[in-house]
Amino acid sequence: MLKIKRAIISVSNKDGIVDLAKELSSFGVEIISTGGTLALLEKNKVKALPISSYTGFPEMLDGRVKTLHPKLHGGLLYRRDKKTHVGEAKKHGILPIDLVVVNLYPFEQVTSAGKVSLECAVEEIDIGGPTMLRSAAKNFKSVAVLADPADYASFLEELKKNKGKISEQTLYRLACKVFQLTSQYDTVIARYLTPVPEDQALPDTVQALFRKSEDLRYGENPHQKAALYREAGKGPALSLKKRHGKELSYNNLVDIESAWDVVEEFDQPAACVIKHNTPCGIAVAASLDEAVSGAIDCDPEASFGGIIGLNRACDFKTAETIFNKLGFLEVIAAPLFQKKALDLLTTRKNLRLVELANERKWPHAYRLTKLGLLVQDADGPLKAKWGEFQSKARCVTQGEPTADEWKELFFAWRAVKVVKSNGIVLTKGMRTVGIGAGQMSRVDAVRIACTKAGEKTRGSYLASDGFFPMADNIEVAASYGVRAIVQPGGSIRDQDVIDAANRHKIVMITTGMRHFRH
């Protein structure tokens, strides 16, 4: 066990430090300290030696240099079991330091609190602190290290129990914590200082640090553990505030993100219903309550027990429409809930109400797999790309869409973008009437969407997230009375598909861009 005789204390977060120092003094521990920490200890009548008196070198450069000295780091790093080390330390007047109590400048707190100049941010980069922590942690068999105020109490308890000594197990545990902490600290700094490439190029390395925000009841199933982690230093890309209802589940959070991805596609009032991470209804309209009504009407049966996403503040009329149309819902997600709407919706005990807001844009999309981290450019919203859609999409059939049909097809194209591949949507009047999602065969997705829509298929507009590999898709669509189709094109059988559309007098446009969503 290690007997603590000499300690250096230099902390940014001074919570609990006076009590810790007083207890150390009661065990006869000699304390060396720096700057503001020294002043605080002296004010509280704790005897401490200034670092400059120990090293024989003054603190300088506005405090940038005060602990970077061989006498200090020699006292931390020399091996007590190695004669040559002991001899060199004695020759140079280096005394052993048995305990380091250090926490770091609050770089993350300062830079994430709001706009801060680069000059101010740089001054919050700690140099001496991490260096002392790493020196102590490297020599953990001979040096104890406290980097987290949360460890003070248990450390003192062990010190009292063992009459001023600390066990090897504790020394090792505290050293491991140091390397985790300094690694996290450097990651936050590197991510803050490294600009996002303007050309959205994929980075050579991905530095990410996520801290647990909360434990969840369970994962996708009750036998799976789950938790929510948030990115350190930047905060979430999408903020969530629960206004009512029981705790959110893992599945709720996944569905809420999908709901937001859908409604974010549209400038007009928009609503969607999500079930099992898949849209079962999407609509835009002149008012939010009309949009909600249209989204639910696409598939009322599937909408039961789902999640509704809104891209406008939920008003009383919208809340009333939801109540009248659906007996049970898991979640309603919106940027805001107006008071009258909130008063009505909170009468349902188990309904969760969450407010969402974009805090920042992800430059890339990430997915952690067993093979590694997959990174790609985000497939961002198309709502601002109406002009691009008109200029790049081309009609490939004899019949051409009218101006209104171009707009309907643009709506259908944005709707299918957020549906799981293979994805097919049918729309009419800026609302989906049938959705076929996540199918292994595209023609099966067409059949499912048409079956879901029933009579509403006649005169509808079909969007496909990928090209049609064969003309059988068109034959099925034609048998149900589809009016027009938008799809990427690019199949080696494109001409067969176009010929089938012409035979059945179906208008078809191709976009040249695929939107798979795995």
Side-chain angles (χ1 to χ4, degrees), residues 51-352:
I51 187 70
S52 56
S53 297
Y54 176 75
T55 62
F57 204 85
E59 295 187 26
M60 59 188 300
L61 305 179
D62 296 322
R64 282 190 169 202
V65 177
K66 51 191 173 186
T67 60
L68 299 172
H69 194 280
K71 199 167 181 182
L72 174 63
H73 287 279
L76 296 174
L77 283 165
Y78 88 81
R79 288 179 55 176
R80 280 57 160 172
D81 62 343
K82 200 167 184 178
K83 287 184 178 180
T84 54
H85 281 209
V86 174
E88 283 185 76
K90 187 176 181 179
K91 177 181 176 182
H92 296 287
I94 294 173
L95 300 175
I97 298 172
D98 313 301
L99 171 64
V100 169
V101 184
V102 167
N103 53 60
L104 307 178
Y105 295 172
F107 181 91
E108 183 177 342
Q109 292 90 325
V110 170
T111 55
S112 61
K115 287 189 176 180
V116 60
S117 69
L118 180 60
E119 183 179 355
C120 290
V122 166
E123 289 307 315
E124 294 298 329
I125 298 174
D126 202 331
I127 301 300
T131 308
M132 280 192 290
L133 289 176
R134 290 173 65 85
S135 291
K138 178 173 180 174
N139 204 19
F140 63 86
K141 290 185 178 180
S142 302
V143 184
V145 56
L146 287 170
D148 184 352
D151 292 321
Y152 294 172
S154 60
F155 183 85
L156 287 174
E157 186 179 344
E158 184 172 333
L159 203 67
K160 292 173 184 177
K161 180 181 177 183
N162 298 323
K163 298 179 180 179
K165 295 180 180 180
I166 297 297
S167 69
E168 291 182 6
Q169 292 91 336
T170 298
L171 295 174
Y172 183 78
R173 177 178 61 80
L174 293 173
C176 290
K177 191 167 186 177
V178 162
F179 290 114
Q180 292 171 358
L181 185 149
T182 56
S183 171
Q184 293 169 11
Y185 192 74
D186 287 340
T187 296
V188 170
I189 293 170
R191 292 208 66 183
Y192 177 83
L193 295 177
T194 304
V196 176
E198 291 185 6
D199 61 358
Q200 297 290 291
L202 296 178
D204 292 329
T205 60
V206 175
Q207 294 169 305
L209 174 62
F210 291 83
R211 294 199 181 98
K212 187 187 286 186
S213 172
E214 59 183 296
D215 287 306
L216 303 175
R217 289 173 61 200
Y218 50 77
E220 289 178 288
N221 300 290
H223 64 275
Q224 295 172 269
K225 292 180 182 178
L228 174 64
Y229 290 77
R230 296 197 187 280
E231 188 180 21
K234 290 191 174 183
L238 180 64
S239 69
L240 180 151
K241 179 182 179 183
K242 184 161 73 72
R243 297 298 307 274
H244 175 70
K246 59 185 179 180
E247 62 184 313
L248 294 161
S249 70
Y250 177 98
N251 292 338
N252 288 156
L253 294 173
V254 172
D255 286 344
I256 287 168
E257 182 189 33
S258 293
W260 191 252
D261 283 348
V262 173
V263 296
E264 196 184 16
E265 283 286 337
F266 305 101
D267 284 320
Q268 309 104 302
C272 73
V273 184
I274 295 285
K275 193 81 169 284
H276 298 294
N277 202 24
T278 300
C280 37
I282 304 169
V284 300
S287 65
L288 194 61
D289 63 288
E290 290 178 277
V292 163
S293 182
I296 295 171
D297 286 345
C298 175
D299 195 337
E301 185 177 28
S303 296
F304 183 85
I307 283 180
I308 287 184
L310 311 171
N311 70 347
R312 296 283 194 283
C314 182
D315 55 24
F316 180 77
K317 195 170 182 181
T318 300
E320 205 172 36
T321 300
I322 293 170
F323 260 33
N324 291 337
K325 283 186 166 287
L326 285 176
F328 173 65
L329 271 176
E330 286 277 353
V331 181
I332 301 175
L336 186 74
F337 290 89
Q338 294 180 2
K339 186 180 183 308
K340 285 187 177 181
L342 202 59
D343 290 342
L344 175 62
L345 295 171
T346 52
T347 60
R348 287 193 181 175
K349 182 180 176 181
N350 292 323
L351 175 61
R352 302 164 176 93

Side-chain angles (χ1 to χ4, degrees), residues 246-471:
K246 59 185 179 180
E247 62 184 313
L248 294 161
S249 70
Y250 177 98
N251 292 338
N252 288 156
L253 294 173
V254 172
D255 286 344
I256 287 168
E257 182 189 33
S258 293
W260 191 252
D261 283 348
V262 173
V263 296
E264 196 184 16
E265 283 286 337
F266 305 101
D267 284 320
Q268 309 104 302
C272 73
V273 184
I274 295 285
K275 193 81 169 284
H276 298 294
N277 202 24
T278 300
C280 37
I282 304 169
V284 300
S287 65
L288 194 61
D289 63 288
E290 290 178 277
V292 163
S293 182
I296 295 171
D297 286 345
C298 175
D299 195 337
E301 185 177 28
S303 296
F304 183 85
I307 283 180
I308 287 184
L310 311 171
N311 70 347
R312 296 283 194 283
C314 182
D315 55 24
F316 180 77
K317 195 170 182 181
T318 300
E320 205 172 36
T321 300
I322 293 170
F323 260 33
N324 291 337
K325 283 186 166 287
L326 285 176
F328 173 65
L329 271 176
E330 286 277 353
V331 181
I332 301 175
L336 186 74
F337 290 89
Q338 294 180 2
K339 186 180 183 308
K340 285 187 177 181
L342 202 59
D343 290 342
L344 175 62
L345 295 171
T346 52
T347 60
R348 287 193 181 175
K349 182 180 176 181
N350 292 323
L351 175 61
R352 302 164 176 93
L353 305 176
V354 298
E355 292 179 346
L356 302 172
N358 280 340
E359 296 297 331
R360 61 188 175 89
K361 295 292 185 182
W362 284 81
H364 304 110
Y366 300 85
R367 180 180 293 180
L368 187 62
T369 73
K370 292 178 181 178
L371 298 173
L373 183 69
L374 295 175
V375 182
Q376 65 174 347
D377 289 338
D379 193 7
L382 301 174
K383 60 185 177 184
K385 298 184 178 180
W386 164 239
E388 184 180 323
F389 177 78
Q390 282 187 303
S391 63
K392 291 188 176 180
R394 64 189 187 95
C395 182
V396 294
T397 52
Q398 294 164 359
E400 294 189 5
T402 65
D404 285 342
E405 287 176 333
W406 272 104
K407 291 177 182 177
E408 183 75 35
L409 289 167
F410 184 48
F411 168 77
W413 184 232
R414 286 177 290 169
V416 80
K417 172 183 171 288
V418 293
V419 171
K420 290 283 187 182
S421 301
N422 284 319
I424 296 290
V425 301
L426 298 175
T427 75
K428 189 184 283 186
M430 299 295 184
R431 58 181 62 179
T432 58
V433 293
I435 298 175
Q439 299 305 304
M440 293 72 75
S441 167
R442 188 161 298 278
V443 71
D444 281 343
V446 174
R447 291 191 185 101
I448 290 170
C450 292
T451 301
K452 284 276 187 183
E455 283 302 313
K456 293 178 183 176
T457 310
R458 301 212 166 271
S460 67
Y461 298 79
L462 182 153
S464 173
D465 65 343
F467 64 61
F468 292 116
M470 296 182 184

Side-chain angles (χ1 to χ4, degrees), residues 492-517:
I492 59 172
R493 296 187 175 90
D494 266 357
Q495 194 55 55
D496 293 343
V497 170
I498 294 167
D499 290 344
N502 282 325
R503 278 198 308 275
H504 294 288
K505 294 183 170 45
I506 294 175
V507 172
M508 181 182 290
I509 64 173
T510 58
T511 65
M513 178 178 285
R514 188 179 77 183
H515 285 293
F516 277 177
R517 188 181 179 93

Side-chain angles (χ1 to χ4, degrees), residues 18 22 36-48:
V18 172
K22 285 181 177 179
T37 306
L38 177 64
L40 178 65
L41 296 181
E42 290 178 337
K43 181 181 177 182
N44 287 274
K45 297 180 173 52
V46 179
K47 186 179 178 181

